[in-house]
Amino acid sequence: MNALEFSFGNAVGHFQKTGGPKGFLWKFALTYALFAIIVQGVSLYLMAPIYAAAFDPLVMEDPDMMDQVMLENMGRFALGYLVSIVFGILMWILFEAASQRRYMRADGFSLKLGGDEGRLLVVGLFWLGLMIALYIGMFVLMLVPMTLGMALGSDGAIIAGLVTFILFVAYFVLTIWIGVRFSPAAALTIRDRKIRFGSAWRVTKGRVWTLIGSWLVLGLIMMAILIALYIVFAVLAVLSLMPAIQSGAEDPAEIMAAFASPTFLIPAILFGLVYMMLAAGMMHVFGGPAALAARTDPDWADESAMNETFG
């Protein structure tokens, strides 16, 4: 089977057929995980006083003391959120660009701020606008059963409830369908070095169910891996906390000390690193089906270069 033919099998495994220098996936995943841990660590450090107060029974039982802690640390808490949001957006732009350059140009792993990243920021803003529009649409649509319920009174409660459920399910399906239709927008933007959002609608014509099916399979695989990871971490966490559990510790300081001990922190940090690597790896893998749709666009003029690299 041609690796560039758009099919279910090729969509699921497209991340393995990108061409280019080897080692992309593990470099991508490890770098993302390290970046994410640093950003989250800084954010948690800034918000630590409020989180510590939330786990302190003495503070939680005294509303005035809790208010004082909140007021004293509001600036740090807001800064922690700001760090998380700003650097979260920056990470998405950097790593999405690296991922799509791999798919569309067979590049090796690299992070940089340039034209690709700027154009992806605009694509992200288009996605944000679309999500806001869909949210507003759902709110407007829900006015229909609310109006119906008010008109029919208590006798029409069942009918209004049924209409609400049907409209919600239908709108949810419509939202997924619209999202899938625009899913290759980032790949097309990297491919053409121009902002391509509306063009994604044309590229996904007749391919929606193949894309959804491939993502479902990849999602189930990811879920199975994560469940296994959570089970391993849960066992290690229980073993590390067993002394505190067996002693029946009720002192908050003693409980916090157990969570701060190396026997708990080391597995927790390793779990976070592995979890972030898996999440990053799947971010790249999940981009494969939509990237394949962009790469097999029949209107793309660079078909000869495409076949030479990926054929």
Side-chain angles (χ1 to χ4, degrees):
M1 180 183 294
N2 187 341
L4 283 177
E5 178 186 349
F6 187 83
S7 65
F8 174 77
N10 282 343
V12 171
H14 186 52
F15 70 98
Q16 297 176 309
K17 306 169 185 177
T18 58
K22 296 185 181 300
F24 176 90
L25 188 58
W26 74 262
K27 292 176 183 177
F28 181 94
L30 179 59
T31 307
Y32 184 97
L34 293 174
F35 269 63
I37 288 175
I38 292 172
V39 171
Q40 291 186 8
V42 172
S43 179
L44 287 174
Y45 169 76
L46 292 170
M47 296 187 284
I50 291 180
Y51 284 131
F55 285 98
D56 189 338
L58 296 177
V59 176
M60 291 300 294
E61 292 173 2
D62 188 341
D64 293 334
M65 187 179 297
M66 188 64 193
D67 290 342
Q68 182 179 351
V69 172
M70 289 290 293
L71 288 173
E72 291 176 351
N73 296 280
M74 187 60 67
R76 288 185 58 159
F77 194 74
L79 184 58
Y81 264 116
L82 185 62
V83 166
S84 180
I85 293 172
V86 171
F87 282 92
I89 294 172
L90 180 61
M91 284 182 61
W92 176 79
I93 294 171
L94 289 172
F95 284 89
E96 180 69 11
S99 176
Q100 295 300 340
R101 278 195 294 268
R102 177 67 168 187
Y103 281 123
M104 306 313 297
R105 305 176 194 164
D107 284 1
F109 176 70
S110 66
L111 297 178
K112 57 185 178 181
L113 276 174
D116 286 338
E117 289 70 21
R119 287 184 284 269
L120 281 185
L121 175 60
V122 178
V123 170
L125 292 175
F126 274 118
W127 275 113
L128 178 62
L130 179 61
M131 287 188 289
I132 292 173
L134 289 171
Y135 181 82
I136 294 174
M138 181 181 68
F139 176 76
V140 172
L141 191 65
M142 289 300 104
L143 292 177
V144 175
M146 290 173 59
T147 304
L148 182 63
M150 293 174 61
L152 296 177
S154 58
D155 295 336
I158 296 177
I159 296 176
L162 182 61
V163 171
T164 300
F165 176 75
I166 293 173
L167 287 176
F168 178 79
V169 172
Y171 195 78
F172 180 74
V173 172
L174 175 64
T175 300
I176 293 176
W177 184 74
I178 292 175
V180 174
R181 291 302 303 266
F182 286 113
S183 60
L188 291 170
T189 297
I190 296 297
R191 187 194 74 183
D192 296 343
R193 292 182 172 88
K194 295 180 181 179
I195 298 169
R196 303 289 194 202
F197 193 83
S199 299
W201 189 271
R202 172 184 55 79
V203 170
T204 52
K205 183 179 180 180
R207 296 173 167 182
V208 171
W209 289 114
T210 302
L211 288 168
I212 291 176
S214 62
W215 283 323
L216 283 175
V217 170
L218 292 171
L220 289 173
I221 294 172
M222 179 64 172
M223 188 182 301
I225 295 173
L226 286 179
I227 289 173
L229 180 62
Y230 274 112
I231 291 174
V232 171
F233 174 70
V235 171
L236 293 175
V238 170
L239 291 175
S240 66
L241 298 174
M242 189 60 70
I245 296 173
Q246 290 177 337
S247 65
E250 297 181 359
D251 183 2
E254 189 175 345
I255 296 174
M256 291 300 293
F259 279 101
S261 65
T263 54
F264 178 82
L265 284 178
I266 292 175
I269 292 172
L270 289 175
F271 168 80
L273 180 63
V274 174
Y275 176 85
M276 288 298 179
M277 288 184 66
L278 284 173
M282 290 308 295
M283 169 186 169
H284 177 67
V285 170
F286 271 108
L292 180 62
R295 183 157 283 285
T296 54
D297 175 9
D299 293 338
W300 186 22
D302 199 16
E303 188 172 350
S304 60
M306 175 180 67
N307 290 331
E308 181 181 347
T309 303
F310 296 91

